[in-house]
Amino acid sequence: MHLELIKLEKTFNQSILTKIDDPLLAQYQIELWMKRDDLLHPVISGNKWRKLKYSLEHALSLGTDTLISMGGAYSNHLHALAYTGKVLGLKTIGFVRGEQPEILTPTLRDMKKWGMELEFVSRADYRLLRQYKEPQLPADLRHTHDPLRYLPGLKPGQYWLPEGGAQILALKGVAELVVETGIPYDTLCVPCGTGTTLAGIIEAVPEQVSVLGFAALKNAGFLTAEVEAMLSQSRNNWQINLDYHFGGFAKINTELNAFIEDFELKTTIPLEPVYTGKMMYAIYDLIKKHYFRPGERIIAVHTGGLQGKRGFD
Ligand SMILES: *Cc1c(COP(=O)(O)O)cnc(C)c1O
């Protein structure tokens, strides 16, 4: 591991396992725990660090001076990348979806403050950028061998990270959260954007564990094939639940808000409405619908992302 990364990781907190104490869970004989990756770091929180770690290692090994990636105006990924770049002394460029807003979002303001160069791109161009995968990876780690799918105009020293940090190297970092878990369990739950975190978890869990992903996007049926493509071998102990998107990515309603507020009061664990709030709502709903067997022990991964909550104030 690169010295700068070791130094950075030393500043991280432990991601503990917290048991959710709630009479409702006892009533259904379900044991629910959260793996608190939200506690890892105040900025580089949750799954974004897990996903970035080995890509950064790879980038540094190549002598990279600039990290480039893409995301929305509230992107947890770009936010984490901008901060990490600052700490590691690397330049960062973020392609941000949509026109530059008159007033920058708190997320974009942070990114700018940490020195990220923001390039606002139209939604059409953003869609084009999405197809560019990992040009720098050795061939056996790439999704594609098609040179047309590499970001054009990439200069020496520049390292391209696909949307959400979704490259195969991310899986290795995610696996570390599974290894840390330390207790036996039946089901592991995780929210899904690109499905990269889910893929890393599927690769790392013991065979008898069921893995359940919860899509944050509407019409996310395509995710199954994308996750499948990231796995080193096909497995059948996982699925993605598509039923709890609440109308689409970052869409909310009063029921979701009420759930989050109630959960935070009961447990003192903060949730955000885009990923972790929807997942926890879904888990509770499925428990009430007897989806899980009595006696089951479930671990839900708190993937962090609490900075994005500022978009909903
Ligand atoms: C980015 C993010 C996700 C989605 O992770 P993927 O690996 O893209 O599926 C989930 N939860 C939070 C809090 C995130 O910020």
Side-chain angles (χ1 to χ4, degrees):
M1 183 73 62
H2 198 279
L3 187 63
E4 291 303 315
L5 276 182
I6 295 173
K7 274 206 299 209
L8 173 58
E9 204 171 28
K10 279 210 177 117
T11 67
F12 277 62
N13 305 304
Q14 238 187 330
S15 156
I16 54 169
L17 208 53
T18 310
K19 190 172 177 197
I20 308 299
D21 186 13
D22 184 340
L24 183 125
L25 298 169
Q27 185 192 325
Y28 287 90
Q29 296 176 56
I30 295 293
E31 218 183 85
L32 179 58
W33 298 68
M34 283 195 99
K35 171 75 174 144
R36 302 287 308 281
D37 271 14
D38 57 312
L39 299 176
L40 278 175
H41 190 278
V43 180
I44 320 170
S45 90
N47 67 337
K48 295 306 178 280
W49 169 247
R50 303 286 190 184
K51 290 199 285 183
L52 279 175
K53 183 174 169 185
Y54 289 98
S55 291
L56 292 171
E57 160 91 337
H58 182 238
L60 289 170
S61 77
L62 296 178
T64 296
D65 57 40
T66 308
L67 300 165
I68 312 176
S69 196
M70 61 190 290
Y74 293 95
S75 169
N76 293 323
H77 165 65
L78 283 185
H79 194 253
L81 190 73
Y83 184 86
T84 311
K86 188 187 89 117
V87 173
L88 296 177
L90 299 172
K91 279 187 272 188
T92 53
I93 300 173
F95 291 115
V96 182
R97 186 181 56 222
E99 269 176 47
Q100 173 160 5
E102 231 166 88
I103 299 168
L104 293 184
T105 65
T107 307
L108 293 173
R109 275 206 300 277
D110 284 347
M111 281 151 49
K112 217 175 146 171
K113 180 178 79 193
W114 296 323
M116 181 177 262
E117 187 183 315
L118 305 180
E119 300 246 12
F120 292 88
V121 296
S122 71
R123 275 153 209 277
D125 285 345
Y126 192 86
R127 269 195 298 277
L128 283 178
L129 284 172
R130 260 204 183 121
Q131 65 180 323
Y132 298 122
K133 301 298 182 194
E134 47 280 294
Q136 314 86 345
L137 294 188
D140 57 330
L141 283 179
R142 279 185 219 145
H143 284 166
T144 172
H145 301 268
D146 176 0
L148 290 176
R149 294 186 66 188
Y150 300 164
L151 184 70
L154 209 62
K155 299 190 186 83
Q158 294 186 330
Y159 191 93
W160 166 251
L161 279 157
E163 188 182 38
Q167 63 177 356
I168 295 295
L169 281 174
L171 273 56
K172 195 172 155 190
V174 173
E176 294 182 345
L177 89 84
V178 176
V179 172
E180 284 168 17
T181 306
I183 60 167
Y185 51 95
D186 303 292
T187 302
L188 209 151
C189 296
V190 66
C192 296
T194 63
T196 312
T197 310
L198 174 67
I201 286 172
I202 295 167
E203 293 257 279
V205 294
E207 230 173 330
Q208 69 277 13
V209 166
S210 304
V211 183
L212 198 48
F214 292 92
L217 284 87
K218 196 165 137 179
N219 302 326
F222 66 90
L223 267 184
T224 301
E226 298 216 335
V227 170
E228 195 91 51
M230 283 188 263
L231 300 177
S232 60
Q233 60 181 101
S234 188
R235 291 174 193 256
N236 53 18
N237 60 336
W238 62 280
Q239 53 180 311
I240 302 175
N241 182 303
L242 306 176
D243 301 334
Y244 294 93
H245 56 71
F246 287 80
F249 187 69
K251 295 276 196 301
I252 55 169
N253 65 21
T254 47
E255 205 182 335
L256 178 65
N257 284 340
F259 171 84
I260 290 173
E261 210 168 293
D262 182 54
F263 183 85
E264 288 178 344
L265 272 175
K266 267 197 298 213
T267 64
T268 71
I269 299 172
L271 299 174
E272 47 68 54
V274 181
Y275 295 105
T276 53
K278 287 180 184 177
M279 170 182 69
M280 293 312 285
Y281 180 101
I283 292 171
Y284 266 75
D285 199 46
L286 290 174
I287 288 172
K288 289 185 224 158
K289 290 176 172 159
H290 304 279
Y291 176 88
F292 302 103
R293 277 178 291 104
E296 237 180 270
R297 182 185 276 163
I298 304 169
I299 296 179
V301 181
H302 195 315
T303 42
L306 294 163
Q307 71 83 23
K309 213 172 175 167
R310 295 177 294 181
F312 295 89
D313 290 343

